[in-house]
Amino acid sequence: MASLILILIFVSFIVFCFLLQVYLQTAHRAVAPYSIPSAEGGVQAKFLNRLVWYEEYPTTPSSFVLNGFIYALIGLYDVAAFDGEKSGAAKLYKEGLHSLKAMASLYDTGSGTLYDLRHTLAIVEPNRARWDYHVAHINLMATMATIDEDPIFVSLRDRWLRYLKGHISSHN
């Protein structure tokens, strides 16, 4: 009986190792489009030709969708936490995190959030986020605050929560 249990444990370990390798190979392939510009079939855009952004859905001009970008960052963080520098996810995560810290406040309208930043690059009206997306933005800022200690994430989370209660920023 004990030998049967040892065999089952060994077989389970072999299956786990195989599945782990399959997962890592899949994760490495999934990371590749993050380093390729959108115009070339990837998902990377640059805001003002400077800040890296991973597009939820590549458009021309780029849309800079907030929630999709943060979901991408979380995915890159997960891959990087698992495989270190092997896939390039850690570098892509760091670049994206820098962009998020620099750009997150651009999505604040003073009474809610913007879904994207299309209006900064094209002659269109700002695309205010529906309340369900606004709530997603709040939750994503809370998630980022658990990953990174920069106070911007807690500050935006708290401010955006106040907007749900009717708070509007002050004016001049």
Side-chain angles (χ1 to χ4, degrees):
M1 183 68 164
S3 62
L4 181 60
I5 292 172
L6 287 175
I7 290 171
L8 287 173
I9 290 171
F10 179 72
V11 168
S12 296
F13 178 74
I14 297 298
V15 169
F16 171 77
C17 289
F18 173 75
L19 292 176
L20 185 60
Q21 287 305 313
V22 170
Y23 167 77
L24 279 174
Q25 290 168 356
T26 302
H28 290 177
R29 284 194 304 272
V31 166
Y34 288 87
S35 59
I36 301 170
S38 300
E40 297 173 19
V43 298
Q44 189 181 101
K46 295 255 177 122
F47 187 73
L48 302 177
N49 294 319
R50 193 170 66 90
L51 296 166
V52 170
W53 198 263
Y54 309 120
E55 296 194 279
E56 180 178 358
Y57 44 89
T59 57
T60 303
S62 299
S63 299
F64 302 100
V65 174
L66 181 59
N67 62 293
F69 177 73
I70 299 174
Y71 287 127
L73 274 186
I74 293 168
L76 290 169
Y77 173 83
D78 287 343
V79 173
F82 200 78
D83 84 340
E85 300 288 335
K86 293 176 190 167
S87 67
K91 179 180 180 284
L92 293 165
Y93 170 76
K94 289 174 191 168
E95 290 173 350
L97 183 63
H98 171 75
S99 297
L100 180 61
K101 290 176 182 182
M103 294 174 61
S105 293
L106 298 176
Y107 291 85
D108 191 322
T109 68
S111 61
T113 53
L114 296 170
Y115 177 75
D116 60 39
L117 295 179
R118 284 182 298 176
H119 67 285
T120 63
L121 302 173
I123 304 173
V124 296
E125 293 179 354
N127 189 11
R128 291 180 298 123
R130 297 187 321 246
W131 283 116
D132 55 335
Y133 279 106
H134 180 70
V135 170
H137 293 159
I138 293 166
N139 290 327
L140 288 165
M141 285 297 134
T143 300
M144 292 308 298
T146 67
I147 295 172
D148 188 270
E149 296 179 1
D150 193 305
I152 191 167
F153 300 124
V154 171
S155 174
L156 288 173
R157 179 203 64 199
D158 292 348
R159 187 179 332 148
W160 294 352
L161 271 169
R162 288 193 299 273
Y163 297 159
L164 284 176
K165 299 174 185 174
H167 176 82
I168 297 174
S169 63
S170 57
H171 57 81
N172 59 356

